[in-house]
């Protein structure tokens, strides 16, 4: 069975509010999990190094680490550690998940999306596709508001072992979150009729 023993929370330490951390703390308290808070400082591009002194770079690193420590100091009743990661966000987070075997990655970056139809950023989409552990993206501006519904989308007829294992992981995680959050769970399977386009082209709409 899947369990939540370690939650990785990606924050922007320069901001004042951290919705993903607020939600992760509630979840960790119920699951008796530990939390690791990380911020990511991009590597300095070669061209920028010509004008950025090593002293200024050290000051940037020190400032981010101090901000992370200040954020961690506000956490009560949940084991917490912090680390400043360097490099591309998606790569740094995936490496951290693999290195420390986190059960879940939670993050919330930027401002509320201008286009509600596209709530995720580029890094979010990369992580949803490639991160080796489940990813929970909290929309900016939602705070620690609890969800009321969980949707688990599965393929009821996978033809390969990997698909079957993925179904099991999705259902186990959904059941665990439902138990911890006391939410309503819906299990969904989407399918299409074999030869649907051919049938539509040769059949009246009412049929």
């Amino acid at each position: 069975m899947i369990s939540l023993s370690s939650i990785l929370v990606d924050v922007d330490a320069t901001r004042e509010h951290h919705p993903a951390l607020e939600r992760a703390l509630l979840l960790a308290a119920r699951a008796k999990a530990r939390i690791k808070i990380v911020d990511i400082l991009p590597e300095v591009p070669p061209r920028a190094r010509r004008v950025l002194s090593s002293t200024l770079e050290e000051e940037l690193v020190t400032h981010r680490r101090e901000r992370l420590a200040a954020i961690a100091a506000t956490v009560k009743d949940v084991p917490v550690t912090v680390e400043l990661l360097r490099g591309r966000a998606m790569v740094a987070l995936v490496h951290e998940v693999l290195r420390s075997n986190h059960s879940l990655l939670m993050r919330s970056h930027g401002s509320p999306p201008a286009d509600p139809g596209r709530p995720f950023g580029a890094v979010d989409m990369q992580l949803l596709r490639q991160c080796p552990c489940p990813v929970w993206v909290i929309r900016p501006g939602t705070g620690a508001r609890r969800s009321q519904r969980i949707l688990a989308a599965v393929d009821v007829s996978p033809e390969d072992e990997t698909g079957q294992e993925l179904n099991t992981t999705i259902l186990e995680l959904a059941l665990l979150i439902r138990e911890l959050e006391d939410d309503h769970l819906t299990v969904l399977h989407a399918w299409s009729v074999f030869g649907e386009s051919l049938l539509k082209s040769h059949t009246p709409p009412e049929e």
Side-chain angles (χ1 to χ4, degrees), residues 147-187:
S147 59
Q148 297 178 337
R149 295 184 298 274
I150 299 170
L151 176 65
V154 299
D155 182 359
V156 299
S157 56
E159 299 179 354
D160 60 281
E161 185 176 342
T162 300
Q164 295 174 12
E165 292 175 354
L166 183 57
N167 280 340
T168 300
T169 299
I170 291 170
L171 288 173
E172 287 183 354
L173 181 62
L175 289 168
L176 176 61
I177 297 298
R178 184 190 68 171
E179 180 181 349
L180 294 172
E181 299 276 288
D182 193 26
D183 294 333
H184 176 76
L185 171 62
T186 298
V187 180

Side-chain angles (χ1 to χ4, degrees), residues 22-131:
E22 294 175 15
R23 191 59 179 275
L25 290 173
L26 295 176
L27 194 60
R30 297 188 185 103
K32 295 180 171 57
R34 64 186 184 275
I35 282 181
K36 184 169 186 178
I37 307 171
V38 298
D39 189 11
I40 304 166
L41 190 63
E43 293 290 353
V44 180
R47 291 183 179 179
R49 286 196 177 277
R50 299 173 185 172
V51 296
L52 181 66
S53 67
S54 59
T55 301
L56 180 56
E57 185 177 359
E58 290 174 4
E59 290 178 357
L60 289 172
V61 171
T62 299
H63 174 67
R64 286 292 185 98
R65 286 176 175 162
E66 289 174 349
R67 289 290 302 153
L68 279 173
I71 293 169
T74 66
V75 176
K76 309 296 181 184
D77 304 323
V78 173
V80 60
T81 57
V82 299
E83 184 176 352
L84 180 66
L85 306 178
R86 302 291 301 270
R88 288 179 54 212
M90 191 277 291
V91 175
L93 289 169
V94 168
H95 284 175
E96 170 58 28
V97 168
L98 292 171
R99 181 170 58 248
S100 302
N101 195 30
H102 297 289
S103 309
L104 176 68
L105 166 61
M106 300 181 70
R107 73 189 308 267
S108 179
H109 275 243
S111 304
D115 180 2
R118 302 184 64 182
F120 304 122
V123 175
D124 297 329
M125 293 305 299
Q126 290 174 332
L127 288 168
L128 289 169
R129 294 187 183 104
Q130 301 182 43
C131 186

Side-chain angles (χ1 to χ4, degrees), residues 195-205 207:
E196 179 179 1
S197 58
L198 183 63
L199 288 172
K200 280 184 176 181
S201 64
H202 291 77
T203 308
E207 294 183 16

